[in-house]
Amino acid sequence: MSETNPAAAATPAEAAPHRYTAATAAEVEARWQDFWDAEGTYAAPNPSGDLAGDPAPVARPKKFIMDMFPYPSGAGLHVGHPLGYIATDVFARFQRMTGHNVLHTLGFDAFGLPAEQYAVQTGTHPRVSTEANIENMKAQLRRLGLGHDRRRSFATIDPDYYKWTQWIFLQIFNSWYDDEAKKARPISELIAQFESGERGVPGHTRAWNELTVAERADVLSEFRLAYASDAPVNWCPGLGTVLANEEVTADGRSERGNYPVFKSKLRQWNMRITAYADRLLDDLDALDWPEAIKLQQRNWIGRSEGARVDFPVDGEHITVFTTRPDTLFGATYMVLAPEHPLVDTFTPDSWPEGTHQVWTGGHATPAEAVTAYRAQAASKSDVERQAEAKDKTGVFTGVFAVNPVNGEKVPVFIADYVLMGYGTGAIMAVPAHDTRDFAFARAFELPIRCVVEPTDGRGTDTSAWDDAFASYDAKIVNSAGEDVRLDGLGVTEAKARITEWLERRGIGQGTVNFRLRDWLFSRQRYWGEPFPIVYDEDGVAHALPESMLPLELPEVEDYSPRTFDPDDADTQPETPLSRNEDWVNVTLDLGDGPRKYRRETNTMPNWAGSCWYELRYLDPHNSARLVDPGIERYWMGPREGMPHGGVDLYVGGAEHAVLHLLYARFWSKVLYDLGHVSSVEPFHKLFNQGMIQAYVYRDSRGIAVPAAEVEERDGAYWYQGEQVTRLLGKMGKSLKNAVTPDEICAEYGADTLRLYEMAMGPLDVSRPWDTRAVVGQFRLLQRLWRNVVDETTGEITVSAAEPDEDTLRALHKAIDGVRQDLESLRFNTAIAKITELNNHLTKAGGAVPRPVAESLVLMVAPLAPHIAEELWRRLGHTDSVVHRDFPVADPRYVVDETVTCVVQIKGKVKARLEVPPSISDEELEKVALADDNVVRALAGAGVRKVIVRAPKLVNIVPA
């Protein structure tokens, strides 16, 4: 909205030539930013290597403070983007001033879809546009005075960086998870077990050395932590690529572009993150993360205990996972996911005699019914398929399975409410005790048998039921077979008995299941890390040796993957890299002589580079190894209070709970298992900052209009003579409400912007941007300046006099409060305390005592570093405030000499007493009862009860 700039509307320059103005701020800030760069002020020394330095800082306690990787957008920053960056900068500066060696830097997550889409539209190479965006973003961030160690910065598109991303992929590819050791081990150790006969070769009766190269590769693929497989994937024709589950929205569309997503079967690279499900869950407990993020990860991983049970069918068996094996006697039909491979195996040519018409879906044969239903299910997302739809759909496969506990034949259906990605892709349906099964059974006229005794009085006759009865606190009924009986048992006891029975007969086993699926790790795009994998003429995948890394992206004429009609599910990916024949088809010597190979033409997802970037910050120029072990241990190793090690503070958005954060934890654990790092977890403390929002103004057509040109009149909002609506929402260029940090820095200075963003409210809460309110923090800095500098002469005005007691109390209370607030990321309340002290000094009049002025400047330094440096220098100091000690409060002045205690009788105030803050409850009660006003108010009445809350409240209840 339009607003006159109060910073410009100041007293004429000739009347106050040394006033703190926007021009003053611009000159001071540029000069100090140049000074910091020239002096290497923020360079954090490593204990060894090319970034080693003065051993004194290395000997201090260390703090590794990180922001989540920014993506260098072509639109540049708006004022919402730097919120977290300013916060980590304030915290990092405070930590330096409290005796820590602080590593704080920032790199750029530069692979991904936006740059590629821009390249498709303009013909500009993604590297060219991305590097230009990075330079623009660096300039914007530098103007904010962020104290980054720029020697450690990098972009994920740098070949020197993605060489190690590829190297990590190969470590994962060349590893397997040993369930007995509960850790990853080199694949060579598994091969040695096969060769020696210590471990049998699964799926083969022949010995390992009798298998072909292709057969061995297939066996190892079942163990590798990175593997290629034909599997159901989320295919997005509109983007021309496949997506991870986490990249598909709740309504079954792509997170980017909002295109329809379909289930398809394609050969793709996957990461076996499921092997780490238990550890990913268990290790959350020791992390200092918001409980909401931990809960999201726990729910996404989805651990559940139960049993696997085999149901025989036509010489095969269908394996189900159930959390309620105690209800096996109630299973009256089965349901497979439409994609289940067994459907193709046993679907007969014709319907069995007597098949219910409602089971067939109106089709002449089971094959026709299955084919039609599969096509219908493929158009739905997993979320849509699991939704509680009013009408249940499905078709009979034409076969019956056998319930192992009672020998009953149960029909096998396919239905879209069962997912191939969860459990085994098959369920035993117990309609009496599951709501979805109940609805399906009613729709398809299937039997419903009660096996858990209802406790709500409905009885066991299911014909009158309106819904299923589900309970863990009930008795089992109608559950007796020839050699197993569960009747009368509680759920827990019945589960144990039936599981033991299943295991004894070899038809089931107690087990744990997870909702988490393996991580789909390939994309059909150009702008990503190439896989360091080649295929021989038999299609066997081979890892490139480390000497051939990095495998750099080749030039291509067309950057776009082939996209299709967004609604056309019957399509296949075509990658940009596949069009560069000279790059794809190569002759290489991988140790057994020159041979022809074909390169992998998918690229890694944009998450790859951000899975390990914290490690590169530690040792950014190391060309010989991922990270020096001593340097990694110094910054990230386990220590007191941080049993898993990791970054001390990681700040970023909550939207990455089950994407980046889960993936990075997985990579960290693999690297730990293989001995490359000492930290089991990448990030010890996580803090999610809120969002800076802005008002969106829309005209009668619903189109956003420029917020800066809207006027407010009589409580309504007007744009070019038309009334418009206002709604609080996101800030962005497309919404025409973006305010850039450059604008605010030009009008007020970077220190004002920093203070305003930190003062808007608690860091973890979203808050609305109001340009008109920025001037409040600008005026705070002007008052601070006036308390040190004479606006007319430019001379320092502080005095050599000793501060009075009131000022000492105000100062040391502020120091104590600001210290606690900065340590706890409560920046808004820290600024409030600084403002209170500054106002006290202004109202006191006269020159500010030097010790008070210097302490005030040092307190301001983490929040507004430029003005603090300038005032510190003007106060006669030659060193920087950056490494000065933060003031320490004198406890004598932090506690008031007296506090006011309110004395109430029947809830009404009868006296106010000035008492010592340390007074005990007993002493305060005696003083209150002896007070003249209290004695008069009681008028001789006895006292039934006295409630004391020393030192501020006494409540007297008369008899």
Side-chain angles (χ1 to χ4, degrees):
M1 294 179 61
S2 58
E3 178 69 29
T4 301
N5 178 12
T11 305
E14 60 271 16
H18 298 281
R19 170 167 289 189
Y20 184 80
T21 64
T24 307
E27 186 277 325
V28 165
E29 289 167 2
R31 178 158 40 82
W32 281 106
Q33 287 163 17
D34 290 342
F35 173 86
W36 294 329
D37 283 351
E39 295 295 315
T41 302
Y42 303 109
N46 276 345
S48 62
D50 68 314
L51 297 186
D54 184 350
V58 174
R60 299 172 187 157
K62 62 89 205 166
K63 288 286 182 184
F64 184 6
I65 299 164
M66 268 182 65
D67 301 277
M68 286 191 184
F69 242 177
Y71 188 86
S73 164
L77 299 176
H78 60 63
V79 291
H81 292 127
L83 177 66
Y85 307 148
I86 295 171
T88 54
D89 187 61
V90 173
F91 187 72
R93 290 174 180 278
F94 174 70
Q95 294 297 326
R96 288 190 192 95
M97 296 179 75
T98 52
H100 294 83
N101 185 20
V102 176
L103 193 166
H104 187 217
T105 190
L106 195 70
F108 299 91
D109 192 12
F111 276 125
L113 192 57
E116 186 169 279
Q117 289 179 325
Y118 185 76
V120 171
Q121 294 163 9
T122 64
T124 306
H125 194 286
R127 179 174 290 281
V128 173
S129 59
T130 302
E131 289 179 346
N133 294 342
I134 289 173
E135 290 309 308
N136 179 55
M137 192 169 177
K138 282 181 176 178
Q140 287 186 295
L141 293 171
R142 184 179 186 273
R143 193 170 184 181
L144 297 175
L146 303 179
H148 294 145
D149 184 346
R150 292 186 173 83
R151 304 170 305 164
R152 298 175 182 264
S153 185
F154 55 80
T156 53
I157 60 175
D158 299 339
D160 285 347
Y161 179 81
Y162 71 72
K163 165 188 175 178
W164 294 106
T165 308
Q166 293 170 337
W167 182 88
I168 295 172
F169 172 82
L170 292 180
Q171 307 314 299
I172 300 172
F173 173 73
N174 284 319
S175 301
W176 63 293
Y177 195 81
D178 185 339
D179 287 321
E180 293 183 5
K182 302 295 183 187
K183 61 179 289 188
R185 295 172 59 185
I187 201 76
S188 58
E189 296 180 9
L190 179 65
I191 293 171
Q193 291 181 7
F194 287 144
E195 288 176 338
S196 68
E198 177 186 345
R199 180 187 290 264
V201 182
H204 291 276
T205 56
R206 290 172 290 154
W208 179 256
N209 58 10
E210 295 174 348
L211 301 182
T212 66
V213 171
E215 287 173 328
R216 293 179 189 178
D218 287 342
V219 170
L220 294 178
S221 184
E222 295 300 314
F223 289 85
R224 293 186 189 273
L225 288 178
Y227 64 95
S229 70
D230 293 319
V233 296
N234 301 306
W235 166 235
C236 182
L239 291 176
T241 189
V242 298
L243 303 172
N245 290 338
E246 296 86 347
E247 295 171 309
V248 181
T249 64
D251 56 355
R253 302 180 77 86
S254 62
E255 192 175 50
R256 285 193 177 276
N258 198 37
Y259 292 110
V261 175
F262 304 94
K263 282 295 181 186
S264 183
K265 203 164 188 179
L266 299 171
R267 190 160 186 83
Q268 301 290 319
W269 281 97
N270 297 272
M271 291 278 182
R272 209 178 298 275
I273 191 173
T274 49
Y276 283 81
D278 269 324
R279 286 171 60 183
L280 289 168
L281 271 177
D282 295 343
D283 289 350
L284 281 171
D285 293 337
L287 299 182
D288 186 2
W289 284 21
E291 283 304 317
I293 300 295
K294 288 185 178 183
L295 180 61
Q296 285 186 67
Q297 290 218 351
R298 289 187 180 110
N299 289 342
W300 192 261
I301 296 167
R303 187 181 194 276
S304 53
E305 295 185 14
R308 288 182 179 267
V309 186
D310 293 337
F311 283 69
V313 53
D314 287 354
E316 300 273 355
H317 64 263
I318 299 173
T319 301
V320 303
F321 170 80
T322 175
T323 59
R324 293 295 302 269
D326 54 301
T327 65
L328 259 167
F329 283 92
T332 58
Y333 66 98
M334 300 188 75
V335 182
L336 304 184
E339 307 88 355
H340 200 294
L342 280 180
V343 176
D344 295 319
T345 302
F346 57 50
T347 299
D349 295 330
S350 59
W351 295 115
E353 186 177 346
T355 298
H356 288 280
Q357 186 64 29
V358 71
W359 294 5
T360 68
H363 295 280
T365 68
E368 290 177 14
V370 166
T371 300
Y373 191 80
R374 279 177 160 175
Q376 175 187 327
S379 66
K380 296 182 180 180
S381 71
D382 286 358
V383 175
E384 289 175 308
R385 287 170 57 170
Q386 289 186 298
E388 293 296 334
K390 183 178 179 181
D391 298 320
K392 293 297 178 189
T393 64
V395 292
F396 178 42
T397 62
V399 299
F400 292 84
V402 177
N403 187 328
V405 294
N406 56 19
E408 289 183 358
K409 293 177 67 175
V410 294
V412 180
F413 287 76
I414 60 171
D416 59 12
Y417 76 91
V418 176
L419 304 179
M420 195 62 219
Y422 181 75
T424 64
I427 67 164
M428 63 174 208
V430 184
H433 308 295
D434 180 274
T435 297
R436 292 185 306 170
D437 294 348
F438 184 93
F440 191 94
R442 281 286 164 88
F444 287 87
E445 302 175 16
L446 291 158
I448 300 174
R449 181 183 302 125
C450 174
V451 293
V452 180
E453 186 174 36
T455 55
D456 57 5
R458 69 172 75 182
T460 60
D461 180 4
T462 62
S463 62
W465 288 13
D466 294 325
D467 197 0
F469 172 77
S471 175
Y472 281 85
D473 186 22
K475 298 294 184 184
I476 303 300
V477 296
N478 299 326
S479 298
E482 289 186 6
D483 58 350
V484 61
R485 184 181 184 88
L486 307 181
D487 290 347
L489 300 180
V491 170
T492 301
E493 189 179 356
K495 279 184 176 183
R497 181 173 295 183
I498 193 67
T499 301
E500 187 274 333
W501 181 84
L502 291 167
E503 291 177 344
R504 192 172 67 247
R505 292 172 61 95
I507 56 173
Q509 185 176 18
T511 189
V512 173
N513 198 55
F514 294 92
R515 178 177 179 267
L516 180 68
R517 299 295 90 198
D518 280 347
W519 172 19
L520 180 67
F521 195 72
S522 46
R523 298 293 182 273
Q524 291 67 50
R525 299 213 155 269
Y526 170 71
W527 195 232
E529 298 92 339
F531 281 93
I533 293 289
V534 292
Y535 300 92
D536 63 24
E537 293 174 327
D538 295 322
V540 175
H542 298 264
L544 292 182
E546 186 177 333
S547 61
M548 291 186 182
L549 302 183
L551 173 60
E552 297 193 33
L553 271 174
E555 296 296 323
V556 297
E557 293 183 3
D558 181 2
Y559 306 115
S560 60
R562 184 182 178 190
T563 58
F564 303 89
D565 181 329
D567 296 307
D568 187 357
D570 192 22
T571 47
Q572 292 281 317
E574 180 185 295
T575 65
L577 289 180
S578 65
R579 301 177 195 133
N580 188 326
E581 293 287 340
D582 291 340
W583 183 82
V584 173
N585 299 302
V586 291
T587 299
L588 301 173
D589 185 350
L590 301 184
D592 54 356
R595 296 176 61 189
K596 291 182 178 180
Y597 295 96
R598 177 178 55 83
R599 295 195 192 278
E600 171 64 70
T601 60
N602 286 312
T603 53
M604 298 186 198
N606 60 303
W607 309 106
S610 60
C611 276
W612 72 280
Y613 70 119
E614 71 282 355
L615 298 173
R616 194 61 175 173
Y617 283 152
L618 308 181
D619 197 11
H621 311 133
N622 197 332
S623 60
R625 61 196 313 169
L626 179 71
V627 61
D628 180 273
I631 294 172
E632 187 273 335
R633 273 194 306 275
Y634 173 78
W635 289 109
M636 291 185 63
R639 50 209 174 276
E640 187 177 355
M642 298 173 63
H644 300 317
V647 173
D648 293 273
L649 175 66
Y650 192 39
V651 174
E655 66 272 16
H656 296 299
V658 294
L659 288 162
H660 157 64
L661 288 173
L662 195 61
Y663 300 156
R665 294 182 64 215
F666 166 56
W667 277 37
S668 186
K669 291 181 186 303
V670 176
L671 291 172
Y672 172 79
D673 287 353
L674 299 176
H676 299 299
V677 297
S678 66
S679 48
V680 186
E681 288 281 342
F683 315 115
H684 172 70
K685 181 177 177 64
L686 173 70
F687 191 96
N688 298 130
Q689 87 273 16
M691 181 189 296
I692 290 184
Q693 299 170 304
Y695 287 109
V696 183
Y697 299 88
R698 297 185 184 275
D699 61 20
S700 58
R701 300 166 299 169
I703 296 174
V705 302
E709 299 175 29
V710 172
E711 297 179 350
E712 181 180 357
R713 296 198 304 269
D714 301 323
Y717 304 96
W718 301 83
Y719 172 71
Q720 296 183 351
E722 178 189 355
Q723 189 169 346
V724 294
T725 60
R726 184 181 82 161
L727 188 67
L728 192 63
K730 287 185 177 182
M731 182 180 285
K733 189 176 179 180
S734 64
L735 298 173
K736 299 182 181 178
N737 63 355
V739 179
T740 70
D742 299 351
E743 295 172 55
I744 303 302
C745 288
E747 292 184 12
Y748 299 100
D751 281 340
T752 296
L753 173 63
R754 291 169 61 102
L755 280 178
Y756 177 65
E757 295 214 1
M758 294 299 96
M760 291 171 75
L763 183 60
D764 58 349
V765 175
S766 293
R767 72 293 301 271
W769 175 269
D770 184 358
T771 299
R772 294 170 299 179
V774 177
V775 70
Q777 300 307 317
F778 181 73
R779 288 174 178 153
L780 166 62
L781 295 180
Q782 287 184 312
R783 288 192 293 271
L784 170 65
W785 183 272
R786 280 197 299 271
N787 279 329
V788 178
V789 178
D790 186 293
E791 292 184 337
T792 304
T793 66
E795 298 296 319
I796 294 300
T797 60
V798 298
S799 75
E802 290 295 318
D804 60 39
E805 185 142 332
D806 283 348
T807 298
L808 283 172
R809 291 195 179 280
L811 170 65
H812 287 282
K813 282 184 179 179
I815 292 172
D816 182 60
V818 172
R819 255 185 175 268
Q820 293 182 49
D821 288 343
L822 293 182
E823 184 64 53
S824 303
L825 306 177
R826 297 191 298 265
F827 303 128
N828 59 319
T829 54
I831 292 170
K833 292 177 175 70
I834 289 170
T835 303
E836 187 179 349
L837 173 61
N838 201 42
N839 290 343
H840 169 89
L841 299 176
T842 301
K843 290 174 183 175
V848 177
R850 174 175 282 273
V852 178
E854 291 187 346
S855 293
L856 177 57
V857 168
L858 292 173
M859 271 191 284
V860 167
L863 293 149
H866 307 92
I867 194 172
E869 288 278 32
E870 184 68 16
L871 293 177
W872 191 248
R873 184 60 57 94
R874 292 189 180 218
L875 284 165
H877 300 282
T878 57
D879 59 342
S880 167
V881 294
V882 171
H883 296 289
R884 267 279 175 165
D885 290 341
F886 198 84
V888 178
D890 186 330
R892 293 177 299 168
Y893 298 109
V894 171
V895 179
D896 290 329
E897 288 188 324
T898 62
V899 295
T900 301
C901 174
V902 174
V903 183
Q904 296 178 334
I905 299 176
K906 292 184 178 179
K908 294 184 178 179
V909 177
K910 296 299 181 182
R912 285 184 171 83
L913 312 175
E914 294 299 315
V915 299
S918 59
I919 193 169
S920 67
D921 286 358
E922 295 77 12
E923 290 177 282
L924 185 56
E925 181 177 340
K926 290 177 184 177
V927 171
L929 292 173
D931 182 80
D932 290 342
N933 292 323
V934 173
V935 172
R936 278 196 298 272
L938 286 171
V943 175
R944 180 160 61 88
K945 189 176 183 181
V946 181
I947 302 168
V948 183
R949 297 289 183 267
K952 292 189 176 181
L953 176 68
V954 177
N955 200 350
I956 299 172
V957 181

